[in-house]
Amino acid sequence: MYLVEIFLPQRDNEGREFRSELFSQVREELLERFGGMTAFTRVPVEGLWNTHQAGRSHDAIVIYEIMLQQLDRPWWESYKAELERRFAQEEMVIRVSRVDVI
């Protein structure tokens, strides 16, 4: 089984919050395609990283996750590119892990 985690930024590059409709659209797309998903939206989640140009950067994020029996990598690569376009990001993180469910 696979666990797919989608890390969505809560704010754009100028610090403005994204419209809730963007997140609703992603939720609906995932529900329609996979039949279920989990959203981590209430706990403040913060991503931190160092950059050569700007020093330390951070993002407030929302995490959506889906558990799958099979991984359609080309579909996920295409969906990632679409999310990067919608959220105006140079790169977004979609993490895939193999998991055992008990």
Side-chain angles (χ1 to χ4, degrees):
M1 180 156 285
Y2 296 92
L3 174 67
V4 178
E5 298 167 289
I6 304 168
F7 293 75
L8 299 172
Q10 290 182 320
R11 293 180 173 80
D12 67 17
N13 294 330
E14 283 74 44
R16 295 179 301 251
E17 285 196 20
F18 286 112
R19 298 180 334 272
S20 63
E21 293 83 15
L22 274 174
F23 299 97
S24 296
Q25 180 181 3
V26 174
R27 274 194 311 272
E28 290 305 313
E29 290 167 348
L30 296 173
L31 281 169
E32 184 176 316
R33 181 163 179 98
F34 302 108
M37 54 89 64
T38 302
F40 296 92
T41 60
R42 297 199 186 269
V43 178
V45 178
E46 184 177 31
L48 297 169
W49 65 96
N50 291 322
T51 66
H52 295 291
Q53 301 88 354
R56 182 161 291 168
S57 294
H58 65 92
D59 252 343
I61 59 175
V62 170
I63 302 172
Y64 288 178
E65 68 177 33
I66 303 96
M67 293 182 70
L68 307 168
Q69 291 289 337
Q70 304 245 338
L71 182 68
D72 182 350
R73 191 172 200 82
W75 184 87
W76 282 104
E77 290 170 350
S78 174
Y79 193 60
K80 177 184 176 197
E82 173 60 22
L83 292 176
E84 289 168 342
R85 185 193 63 74
R86 284 187 211 167
F87 286 85
Q89 300 293 301
E90 287 182 31
E91 185 167 8
M92 293 179 66
V93 173
I94 296 181
R95 180 169 59 192
V96 177
S97 305
R98 284 187 149 272
V99 296
D100 291 324
V101 177
I102 297 174

